Amino acid sequence: MYEWMRNQGHRFRLSSSDTAIELDLISKVNGVASAEEYFLSLPGSSKDNRTYGALLNAYVRAKMREKAESLILEMRDKGYATHSLPFNVMMTLYMKLKEYEKVMEMISEMLEKNLKLDIYSYNIWVTTCGAMGSAEKMEEVLQRMKLDSSIYPNWTTYSTMATMYMKLGLFEKARDCLKKVESRITGRDRIPYHYLLSLYGSMGSKEDVYRIWKTYKSNFPSIWNLGYHAMIASLVRLDDIEGALKIYEEWVSVRSTYDPRICNLIMGWYVRKGLLDKAEAFLENVFEVGGKVNSNTWEILAEGYIEKKQIPEALSCIKEASTAEGAENWRPKPMNISVLISLCDQESDLASKEVLLEVLKQVGCLENEAYMSLVSQNGVTDLGSKLSVDRDRIDGDDDDNENNDETNMLLTQLQGSL
């Protein structure tokens, strides 16, 4: 759309805000290199705090630390770093990298320069104090927030504090924070319910999980897949498999699309408990109701077979995973591959080992030195040299990482506000 508008000559006059939005979209669709090229092509009048901020955000999203740090220095020189937003963006980068001292340095800089902290700045500060293991400092930041007349601690603030208290073993304080989360849910915001389900589940409070679920359903005529995922994940964590299956069956009857991540929760529970036959039966049921699976579904089942030392079945699952939905972003867990190769060696099953290595080659793992070093660290040192290696391909990310970590939640909220 922006390309079309720009090609219309003088029919449309694009503001610097439009330019910043276009730069952000380019980075998401075509990559950071294209965004940089676009930024460099802009006339001087279009390079203001908005476009610089959009490029900074692109660097942070891609975890390009050196370029981000260089750019914010330039923004400081040009007077574009006189408000909280660029600092918030940089702090999200340091949080992703778990460099909490760098976050504290930026907070100190903002305070020294009398720059106004917004709710995101404070929430990042709270999260950082908690991540550094200091409940006292976290509480000091909360008190500072309460004294700031322009700030009202929101549900994210207390959800973050609850998570940190739980990690520090302060469960009563965590529970108090969760009650404050409940009191701060406003409008049609569903996300707080997902975090409440997850956090109460982590605390082992089944009664509260079901209470929040009942409230959630009473406030919304329909529940999204993410809501069912949060509920089933909590019940699985509580070992309430009967309850999880009941909610799963309800979801199957009302869902508009089938999300394989939901069935993976139950599959994973069965495999972890050594109930491989139930995992197999459940997978058959998934297919019977018209469900679909992804690469992680097959790897979960493979883990069950690996535990039972059933090489052919495990290998079959790994092969299925390599061609299933999401395979382009899937990489098998190094530990699974390490154990499976060891089993092949123990059984002198060279044929199965060669098939496994071929699958690793197909998904871009065999030529990835970092990945294969993890496999080796888990006990495998001789991976064979019979397959050719194309070292130009790169590793990808697992597509089934759960996003229940409070830090990730905070970063997602900030990104959505930019």
Side-chain angles (χ1 to χ4, degrees):
M1 175 63 75
Y2 275 109
E3 287 181 5
W4 178 81
M5 292 172 65
R6 197 172 294 283
N7 291 333
Q8 300 305 302
H10 296 292
R11 286 184 60 191
F12 297 97
R13 183 177 178 181
L14 298 181
S15 65
S16 61
S17 294
D18 291 317
T19 302
I21 293 171
E22 185 176 6
L23 192 154
D24 183 66
L25 292 172
I26 289 171
S27 72
K28 291 176 179 176
V29 175
N30 299 325
V32 176
S34 296
E36 288 177 315
E37 184 178 339
Y38 175 72
F39 180 81
L40 292 173
S41 71
L42 295 174
S45 59
S46 295
K47 292 180 180 178
D48 61 6
N49 63 312
R50 297 178 182 85
T51 49
Y52 268 90
L55 183 59
L56 179 66
N57 192 38
Y59 286 149
V60 167
R61 220 170 20 234
K63 297 184 182 179
M64 294 182 173
R65 173 178 176 162
E66 291 185 5
K67 289 192 173 185
E69 289 179 334
S70 175
L71 188 65
I72 198 169
L73 283 175
E74 189 175 344
M75 292 175 70
R76 285 187 177 102
D77 292 340
K78 292 180 177 292
Y80 296 156
T82 57
H83 52 94
S84 63
L85 184 55
F87 287 88
N88 291 345
V89 172
M90 283 301 298
M91 287 191 291
T92 65
L93 173 61
Y94 293 130
M95 288 178 69
K96 287 179 181 179
L97 299 175
K98 301 188 185 303
E99 295 190 16
Y100 304 120
E101 291 295 343
K102 296 293 291 185
V103 176
M104 298 305 294
E105 287 176 14
M106 300 213 78
I107 290 290
S108 296
E109 180 180 348
M110 294 177 71
L111 295 175
E112 289 170 5
K113 293 182 176 179
N114 291 319
L115 300 182
K116 186 73 174 173
L117 276 66
D118 61 16
I119 187 65
Y120 297 104
S121 311
Y122 276 113
N123 284 343
I124 291 170
W125 193 359
V126 166
T127 306
T128 301
C129 292
M132 295 175 75
S134 177
E136 183 179 354
K137 290 183 186 286
M138 190 166 64
E139 291 164 358
E140 287 176 2
V141 176
L142 178 63
Q143 289 304 313
R144 189 175 188 123
M145 292 176 74
K146 292 178 177 179
L147 293 173
D148 189 331
S149 60
S150 67
I151 298 296
Y152 179 69
N154 58 13
W155 72 263
T156 304
T157 307
Y158 288 104
S159 175
T160 299
M161 293 189 71
T163 300
M164 298 306 171
Y165 279 137
M166 287 168 59
K167 290 180 178 178
L168 295 171
L170 303 172
F171 294 102
E172 285 305 314
K173 288 190 174 184
R175 182 174 291 279
D176 289 342
C177 285
L178 292 181
K179 293 299 182 183
K180 289 183 171 64
V181 172
E182 293 183 45
S183 69
R184 282 165 170 74
I185 299 176
T186 57
R188 307 301 292 170
D189 193 356
R190 299 169 182 259
I191 303 302
Y193 291 101
H194 301 170
Y195 282 94
L196 284 168
L197 290 170
S198 175
L199 291 170
Y200 276 127
S202 296
M203 288 183 66
S205 183
K206 184 191 296 188
E207 180 181 342
D208 284 310
V209 168
Y210 279 104
R211 178 178 59 81
I212 293 298
W213 181 245
K214 183 178 179 180
T215 302
Y216 187 8
K217 294 184 71 176
S218 68
N219 288 335
F220 294 89
S222 62
I223 304 297
W224 296 343
N225 283 354
L226 284 174
Y228 278 102
H229 185 282
M231 180 59 175
I232 293 173
S234 292
L235 296 180
V236 164
R237 190 177 296 118
L238 291 164
D239 282 336
D240 182 6
I241 193 61
E242 291 184 5
L245 286 170
K246 183 177 180 180
I247 300 297
Y248 171 79
E249 289 167 3
E250 175 187 314
W251 169 69
V252 169
S253 69
V254 300
R255 49 91 179 175
S256 57
T257 59
Y258 194 96
D259 186 344
R261 293 174 298 179
I262 294 178
C263 77
N264 289 354
L265 293 169
I266 295 173
M267 286 276 293
W269 189 88
Y270 282 138
V271 168
R272 286 193 300 276
K273 298 298 181 179
L275 303 173
L276 186 55
D277 56 338
K278 287 187 176 292
E280 292 171 328
F282 183 78
L283 183 58
E284 289 181 10
N285 176 260
V286 167
F287 291 130
E288 287 173 3
V289 300
K292 60 182 180 179
V293 299
N294 61 14
S295 296
N296 292 285
T297 313
W298 289 111
E299 186 173 10
I300 289 169
L301 191 58
E303 290 176 358
Y305 289 128
I306 291 171
E307 182 67 25
K308 301 287 186 181
K309 298 184 179 181
Q310 296 177 222
I311 296 175
E313 291 83 358
L315 184 57
S316 176
C317 288
I318 294 295
K319 288 171 66 178
E320 290 282 359
S322 70
T323 58
E325 177 182 300
E328 64 276 6
N329 295 317
W330 171 77
R331 298 292 180 269
K333 296 175 184 176
M335 176 62 80
N336 288 338
I337 298 304
S338 176
V339 175
L340 189 50
I341 290 177
S342 293
L343 289 175
C344 291
D345 289 340
Q346 292 169 18
E347 299 295 326
S348 299
D349 189 349
L350 182 60
S352 294
K353 182 176 178 180
E354 288 183 341
V355 172
L356 178 58
L357 295 176
E358 180 62 37
V359 172
L360 292 179
K361 178 185 177 184
Q362 291 172 4
V363 298
C365 290
L366 188 64
E367 64 274 21
N368 187 294
E369 294 181 4
Y371 177 90
M372 296 311 289
S373 69
L374 292 175
V375 174
S376 297
Q377 289 170 14
N378 286 319
V380 177
T381 56
D382 179 14
L383 299 174
S385 58
K386 294 187 177 182
L387 298 176
S388 62
V389 174
D390 174 10
R391 296 188 179 275
D392 291 332
R393 293 174 65 189
I394 59 174
D395 192 16
D397 296 322
D398 188 339
D399 78 334
D400 210 21
N401 288 328
E402 292 189 32
N403 202 26
N404 287 335
D405 181 81
E406 288 296 308
T407 297
N408 288 334
M409 176 267 291
L410 189 59
L411 304 188
T412 299
Q413 287 198 343
L414 176 59
Q415 293 291 341
S417 73
L418 300 178

